[in-house]
Amino acid sequence: MRRDLIYSDGQDIKGFLSENKSMFEEVLLQHAANVRDKIEEIKLVGNINLLGNAVKLVLMVVEERRDDVIAFGNQEGIAWAKTSLTLSFKLEWVQAIRKTLWEFLYEYDHFTEDQADRERFFTMENKVNELIDEFFKGFFISYSEYKDKLIEQQTKLVENLSVPIIPVSPNISILPLIGTIDSYRASIIEEKVLFEIGKKRVEILILDLSGIAEMDHEAIQNFLKLLDGVNMMGCRTVITGLSPKIVREIVNMDISFGQKAETKGTLEQAMQDYMKLFDASRSDIQSNV
């Protein structure tokens, strides 16, 4: 490799690396076989210039710009986290950068005929490896934090979608539930329902359970607590679509909704009954006006 490199007398390591940028990139690609064929794809998918960023990193390292290295690692971590690219590519790439940099440091010493003593060598090794490790640290921290925030946002979105409270009039709302209700989801439903009742001043809440596959004993107990909470908020509860299986579970537990809620066979039936009441009350108000 040495005969293809360019060196000028008195040139510092930064100038040497900049002068031989193309050769550095070529050797780097040789050390990163798995990444090499993905360079253009990664640039297209994540707008990440791997080769350009590699050169940028090594110049920061040889100039011992610690703060810039850390900031660059944070920036790269977020950029990588925004894509579907795997971490294995990044790991291989940074290790290839480290290896290539050391090869060029070795060649630079030969050009300068500066045979490093043991103390100087280990001092330089500690600085170079420490800074690249700092880049790694910043990268993984920012990558993990961004991914955690993304997962949290997606979880909240799913939770909100799993409790779709739909207003059908100023004082009547419907909550159609589907799937399985476990204790965790029951707590999410309770929190969202009570909040929405207070915020929108819902007077009648129609809970449609026709899409619920099953409810275990704990879920039924949580459901009863929800009805208590709704009643305490001054809201009437109407339950529709109870399946025979859920009804048997409730009967076996010797539980009665009692004054907690009214039941209707179907959502359509409840809608017809309560929208008639709403229309009638609205007509009375208009006639009095």
Side-chain angles (χ1 to χ4, degrees), residues 70-287:
I70 295 173
F72 189 48
N74 292 335
Q75 175 187 323
E76 283 281 276
I78 294 173
W80 207 262
K82 289 180 177 179
T83 72
S84 58
L85 301 169
T86 63
L87 282 176
S88 61
F89 281 113
K90 193 65 175 182
L91 290 170
E92 180 180 347
W93 186 245
V94 177
Q95 293 294 3
I97 292 173
R98 190 196 302 264
K99 184 174 183 179
T100 305
L101 175 57
W102 274 111
E103 290 183 6
F104 274 72
L105 290 173
Y106 174 81
E107 294 294 340
Y108 177 75
D109 271 1
H110 273 284
F111 276 115
T112 59
E113 297 182 352
D114 185 3
Q115 301 300 317
D117 58 30
R118 180 176 297 177
E119 182 177 353
R120 177 177 173 274
F121 172 80
F122 280 112
T123 298
M124 180 173 61
E125 181 185 39
N126 284 334
K127 288 181 179 179
V128 170
N129 287 334
E130 181 184 357
L131 286 173
I132 291 180
D133 289 341
E134 287 288 355
F135 172 84
F136 256 138
K137 180 181 177 181
F139 173 88
F140 281 113
I141 289 176
S142 62
Y143 178 92
S144 299
E145 288 179 347
Y146 186 90
K147 285 292 189 184
D148 288 343
K149 288 180 182 178
L150 187 62
I151 291 171
E152 182 179 354
Q153 291 171 358
Q154 291 173 339
T155 300
K156 288 182 179 179
L157 176 61
V158 170
E159 289 174 353
N160 288 333
L161 291 175
S162 70
V163 191
I165 298 178
I166 306 167
V168 293
S169 78
N171 62 346
I172 302 175
S173 291
I174 301 172
L175 173 56
L177 295 173
I178 61 174
T180 300
I181 298 180
D182 55 15
S183 57
Y184 173 74
R185 190 182 177 199
S187 66
I188 297 297
I189 292 172
E190 180 180 5
E191 179 181 355
K192 181 75 181 297
V193 165
L194 297 181
F195 175 79
E196 290 295 322
I197 288 175
K199 178 182 177 182
K200 298 178 180 177
R201 298 185 179 180
V202 179
E203 296 179 13
I204 299 174
L205 178 66
I206 302 174
L207 287 171
D208 180 47
L209 305 182
S210 57
I212 296 296
E214 59 181 282
M215 291 176 66
D216 58 23
H217 287 200
E218 185 177 2
I220 291 174
Q221 293 289 353
N222 289 330
F223 190 70
L224 292 174
K225 291 179 182 178
L226 169 62
L227 297 181
D228 287 334
V230 171
N231 287 333
M232 290 175 66
M233 296 287 290
C235 177
R236 292 173 59 187
T237 307
V238 181
I239 299 175
T240 66
L242 281 170
S243 69
K245 185 176 181 180
I246 295 177
V247 170
R248 283 195 297 271
E249 289 287 344
I250 294 173
V251 171
N252 290 336
M253 292 174 65
D254 197 23
I255 293 174
S256 173
F257 288 145
Q259 297 180 346
K260 296 178 186 291
E262 182 182 355
T263 59
K264 296 285 184 180
T266 65
L267 175 60
E268 182 181 7
Q269 181 184 348
M271 287 292 295
Q272 289 175 350
D273 292 345
Y274 285 95
M275 289 309 293
K276 285 178 183 178
L277 289 176
F278 171 71
D279 291 338
S281 63
R282 183 171 59 177
S283 298
D284 290 340
I285 292 173
Q286 290 175 345
S287 62

